[in-house]
Structures are given as C-alpha cells and as structure tokens.
Amino acid sequence: MVLSPPVTSLQVEDFVFPPTAKPPGSDKTFVLGGAGVRGLEIEGKFIKFTAIGVYLEDDAVPFLGDKWKGKSPDELLDSVDFFRDVVTGPFEKFIRVTMILPLTGKMYSEKVVENCVAFWKSVGIYTEAEAKAVEKFVQVFEHETFPPGSSILFTQSPLGSVTVAFSKHDSTPKDGAAVIENKHLSEAVLESIIGKHGVSPAAKKKLAERISEWLNEKVAEEVKVVEEEVKIQNGESEKI
C-alpha cells in the first residue's frame, strides 16, 4: 500500500518552500521533506548563508517504510544509516539552495568540490571519473553569481546523474543548465547537506520529523486496514 504523505510549506528566514515542486530534469512532482538554514559560527555569531529545501519523490515513503516505520523523529535523526538510505534510495530527490547572502558560483562550487574530494579520498572512491565530474561541476558554476533570493537547483537521479539549474527568483526552470553523469557526485550533493557531517542540521532535523510522521501515519493506516479485515471476517463490518 502506498500512502501519499501530507505536505505543507515550510518557511526558512524570509523564504517559503512550497509543499510540492516539479524540478528540472524530471517529469514528476516531488514533496517537501525538510528545510533549514546553512550557516557558520564566525567570531561568536551565527551567520546564515543559505536556506535549503529537500524534496523527495513519492516512492521514498514505501521504500523507507520497509526499514524505518515506527521510529521516532529522534531515532531517525540519530541514525547515520537512515540518512544514507535517503541519499542512496532508489527514488529521485530535488534540492533547492536559496541565497540569504550573496555568493559567487566559483566560491560555491569550489567549496562543494573540496568537501566531496576529501570525502571520496578518505573512503577510497576518488577515481579519474570523479575528477572529470568535479571539473565539469566547477565549469557549470564558473560564470554564475547568486544575489540574495536566487537559487541553485539539483535534481538527483537514482540512475547516477545530477541535473544542475539556476533560478534568479522563486520560480523553477523547466530545463537544467547541465547534467553531470556521476553517481558519487550526484549523491554527494545531498550527503553534504543531511549526511553525518551535513551542513544544515536544521534541514536534517525537519526531514527526520516529517518522514517519521509520514511513516507512522502509514503504519496507522495499515493497522486500520487490518482491523477492518478482521471485522469483516468476524461479520462485524461490511466489506468496502
């Protein structure tokens, strides 16, 4: 049984992430899983740089439910394996990174690549294919600038590609600026946000809360169906 998750919009600072989105590079509509800020502590003050929204394909619910249904938000939040399942699961993901402070494409891409390469080398998966993928990634961002309110959009395919797009407003373009075919890079974008050392604990926390809610509603609905079937067998209810 597939249960469509209830979705609402989420506000992060001055930006509202709508409950659903149809991203570049996909013909599907995704649901908002979580959202939050990315920032850094600088001289004792927390500086917010971006607002991040993470959207999931509907198929995420039954896939994650097989292993994680019945878990509380705190149990999911504390589980590295849970977020790895979100990142690597066989369903599409869409990430919207909206600027709170201005940023150049060069600054953004170089930081992403630095983190990705360091991780890949640490686990022994950095090859010539990854080197070519990050080179293309940097080139895509080379001449871009992102004023406050503009967004970087990533559509992650489970087949191993990531579609990159840009938006100067809160609209979503139909087509991407580039498609990069590399599974490790595709997964690294979301991993850098919600993984073990993810840059947005707030988005990670909201994602755990929402998925826990969806999966527990799925459990409640399944229990309700079973109870109704028992009543039918006992002649206590009419079959619907």
Side-chain angles (χ1 to χ4, degrees):
M1 182 186 69
V2 177
L3 180 69
S4 296
V7 289
T8 56
S9 61
L10 290 172
Q11 182 163 348
V12 180
E13 297 299 300
D14 294 330
F15 307 105
V16 176
F17 291 92
T20 61
K22 193 170 184 179
S26 178
D27 58 0
K28 301 174 183 177
T29 298
F30 295 15
V31 295
L32 179 61
V37 298
R38 178 194 179 178
L40 286 174
E41 192 83 23
I42 300 176
E43 296 182 354
K45 185 177 181 180
F46 187 70
I47 306 298
K48 301 170 184 176
F49 293 103
T50 59
I52 302 173
V54 178
Y55 291 79
L56 308 174
E57 183 186 348
D58 268 353
D59 287 350
V61 175
F63 172 78
L64 295 170
D66 288 341
K67 183 176 179 181
W68 301 103
K69 62 185 178 182
K71 300 292 185 181
S72 70
D74 286 343
E75 288 175 311
L76 296 185
L77 184 61
D78 291 339
S79 173
V80 174
D81 289 343
F82 165 69
F83 289 103
R84 282 299 297 163
D85 283 351
V86 175
V87 170
T88 63
F91 48 87
E92 292 183 282
K93 301 96 183 175
F94 172 54
I95 302 103
R96 186 180 197 102
V97 181
T98 300
M99 303 302 141
I100 296 174
L101 295 179
L103 192 65
T104 67
K106 186 175 186 293
M107 290 169 59
Y108 180 84
S109 62
E110 287 181 350
K111 189 61 179 177
V112 171
V113 166
E114 177 187 329
N115 292 338
C116 287
V117 171
F119 172 73
W120 292 335
K121 286 183 176 180
S122 72
V123 296
I125 59 172
Y126 185 65
T127 68
E128 184 179 348
E130 280 67 49
K132 289 181 178 179
V134 296
E135 182 180 350
K136 183 175 181 179
F137 186 85
V138 170
Q139 289 173 352
V140 172
F141 285 85
E142 189 173 8
H143 301 295
E144 298 292 333
T145 57
F146 304 106
S150 61
S151 298
I152 303 168
L153 314 174
F154 299 101
T155 308
Q156 178 190 335
S157 167
L159 300 179
S161 68
V162 58
T163 300
V164 185
F166 307 115
S167 173
K168 296 302 181 186
H169 307 286
D170 57 3
S171 60
T172 302
K174 181 179 179 181
D175 300 314
V179 178
I180 303 175
E181 301 284 348
N182 184 275
K183 187 173 179 62
H184 290 146
L185 178 61
S186 175
E187 293 178 352
V189 174
L190 185 55
E191 175 74 24
S192 70
I193 296 167
I194 65 168
K196 186 175 181 180
H197 303 293
V199 297
S200 181
K204 188 173 178 177
K205 183 174 186 292
K206 182 57 70 174
L207 190 64
E209 291 172 355
R210 282 203 160 189
I211 292 180
S212 175
E213 178 185 356
W214 295 345
L215 298 185
N216 287 332
E217 286 189 3
K218 182 175 186 290
V219 171
E221 187 66 21
E222 290 173 343
V223 170
K224 184 178 178 181
V225 170
V226 171
E227 289 176 343
E228 188 62 29
E229 289 176 350
V230 171
K231 287 181 180 180
I232 292 170
Q233 293 171 5
N234 293 336
E236 299 173 8
S237 175
E238 293 184 2
K239 187 170 183 178
I240 55 173

